[in-house]
Amino acid sequence: MTKLELLIDGLAFPEGPRWREGRLWFSDMHDHVVMTVDPSGKTEEVVRVETRPSGLGWLPDGRLLVVSMTDRRVLRLEEGRLVEHADLSELAPWHCNDMVVDGRGRAYVGNFGFDMDAGEGPRATTLVLVQPDGRAEVAAEGLFFPNGTVITPDGSTLVLGETYAARLTAFCIGDEGRLSERREWARLEGAVPDGICLDAEGAIWVACPVSNQLLRVREGGAVSHRIPTDRKAIACMLGGDDGRTLFALTARTTGPDEAPKLRSGRIECVTVDVPGAGWP
């Protein structure tokens, strides 16, 4: 189970994978484009986002939402054209990144909290909740680089990765999507979380860019599976016809200037025993 097989390569920096309608959707962040790839490796460009696309999700009526990183907005695809869904610039102190959208169309958007590219040190930041109509508010504070995020199938719990705290953090989801009862879901030893996805047994697959691996983590921190990667593991997603294909998005560099030149980004995959569940 531990051998990854190449699906596509030559990408700049793949992020935000989502399985939908028989294809893997993802953002090639530093190539400024949202794309899809099918199980045969055929790719298609969906839309360009010059301000760096990241997290993806869908409203209940099927309209695509895209995080626009550097101007801190969520965009909505309307008949082939991007329009503003929500402006987060007053709520997110630095670039936005990953996002999960639940079955009601409520989006939770993380942000860096500091200028990582300029070498600033980490600072605590916010997670922003965007309602289906675009109204935005702070859902949680005091997070250290809130990154990959999942929601359980019953819609009651949100778990996110705090990259600079090396932990997964859980919240209860209440009325109108508001969060409460924050708790540590798992602490990671020797690894930090980037993108994550949830399986039907309640375990979370975690992409770990510093240690070059995918971990399957249970609540409390026990690791049941480790899959090595030969470059930084950026994000992961369960999909395929039966939900048991684990897609790994990897790259040798995260740098916005280096990535488009090196084009080391890959999407690889492996079959696992437990299918995906919940959102995304």
Side-chain angles (χ1 to χ4, degrees), residues 1 4 32 38 42 44 55 72 89 91 121 152 192 224 253 278:
M1 195 193 80
L4 291 165
H32 309 282
D38 69 15
K42 179 182 177 182
E44 181 179 343
R72 291 173 282 170
S89 60
L91 303 174
T152 55
V192 300
S224 67
T253 180

Side-chain angles (χ1 to χ4, degrees), residues 34 47-50 64-66 68 73 75-85:
V34 176
V47 66
R48 296 200 64 81
V49 184
E50 296 302 334
L64 176 68
L65 299 181
V66 183
S68 177
R73 296 191 295 164
L75 305 178
R76 187 177 68 247
L77 188 61
E78 296 275 2
E79 298 179 349
R81 183 174 66 93
L82 289 171
V83 300
E84 182 177 286
H85 183 67

Side-chain angles (χ1 to χ4, degrees), residues 22 30 46 48 58 77 79 82 91 95-96 117 189 193 196 224 234 266:
H30 296 322
V46 177
R48 296 200 64 81
W58 286 265
L77 188 61
E79 298 179 349
L82 289 171
L91 303 174
H95 295 341
C96 293
D117 295 332
E189 298 294 336
I196 65 177
S224 67
I234 306 302
R266 289 180 168 180

Side-chain angles (χ1 to χ4, degrees), residues 211-262:
S211 53
N212 293 8
Q213 59 184 332
L214 302 177
L215 303 179
R216 183 175 182 264
V217 182
R218 297 187 183 276
E219 185 170 4
V223 176
S224 67
H225 297 75
R226 298 177 187 267
I227 300 178
T229 60
D230 73 346
R231 56 199 68 192
K232 297 177 185 294
I234 306 302
C236 55
M237 184 66 205
L238 286 160
D241 291 341
D242 60 1
R244 296 193 305 114
T245 300
L246 179 65
F247 295 93
L249 280 62
T250 63
R252 294 198 184 281
T253 180
T254 63
D257 297 323
E258 298 173 332
K261 299 173 185 176
L262 191 59

Side-chain angles (χ1 to χ4, degrees), residues 29-261:
M29 179 189 295
H30 296 322
D31 217 13
H32 309 282
V33 64
V34 176
M35 302 179 65
T36 67
V37 60
D38 69 15
S40 73
K42 179 182 177 182
T43 61
E44 181 179 343
E45 182 176 311
V46 177
V47 66
R48 296 200 64 81
V49 184
E50 296 302 334
T51 44
R52 292 193 204 169
S54 184
L56 306 175
W58 286 265
L59 293 171
D61 62 9
R63 288 177 294 172
L64 176 68
L65 299 181
V66 183
V67 169
S68 177
M69 296 181 63
T70 59
D71 61 357
R72 291 173 282 170
R73 296 191 295 164
V74 177
L75 305 178
R76 187 177 68 247
L77 188 61
E78 296 275 2
E79 298 179 349
R81 183 174 66 93
L82 289 171
V83 300
E84 182 177 286
H85 183 67
D87 183 350
L88 311 186
S89 60
E90 297 297 318
L91 303 174
W94 199 245
H95 295 341
C96 293
N97 57 330
D98 214 343
M99 170 178 69
V100 65
V101 181
D102 70 11
R104 300 182 183 181
R106 300 180 301 210
Y108 298 86
V109 186
N111 70 88
F112 290 21
F114 67 102
D115 189 347
M116 182 173 63
D117 295 332
E120 289 185 1
R123 291 192 298 270
T125 190
T126 58
L127 181 73
V128 177
L129 165 62
V130 180
Q131 300 290 351
D133 63 3
R135 290 177 294 122
E137 62 187 78
V138 171
E141 298 179 285
L143 300 167
F144 285 90
F145 207 114
N147 212 327
T149 310
V150 298
I151 295 173
T152 55
D154 63 3
S156 68
T157 303
L158 179 146
V159 184
L160 61 81
E162 291 187 70
T163 300
Y164 279 88
R167 66 187 173 210
L168 302 177
T169 300
F171 297 86
C172 292
I173 302 175
D175 293 342
E176 297 189 17
R178 293 186 174 90
L179 304 181
S180 64
E181 299 182 44
R182 176 177 175 171
R183 65 189 187 278
E184 184 174 278
W185 195 88
R187 182 164 293 277
L188 303 179
E189 298 294 336
V192 300
D194 197 328
I196 65 177
C197 61
L198 180 70
D199 74 22
E201 291 184 353
I204 293 177
W205 282 99
V206 181
C208 304
V210 174
S211 53
N212 293 8
Q213 59 184 332
L214 302 177
L215 303 179
R216 183 175 182 264
V217 182
R218 297 187 183 276
E219 185 170 4
V223 176
S224 67
H225 297 75
R226 298 177 187 267
I227 300 178
T229 60
D230 73 346
R231 56 199 68 192
K232 297 177 185 294
I234 306 302
C236 55
M237 184 66 205
L238 286 160
D241 291 341
D242 60 1
R244 296 193 305 114
T245 300
L246 179 65
F247 295 93
L249 280 62
T250 63
R252 294 198 184 281
T253 180
T254 63
D257 297 323
E258 298 173 332
K261 299 173 185 176

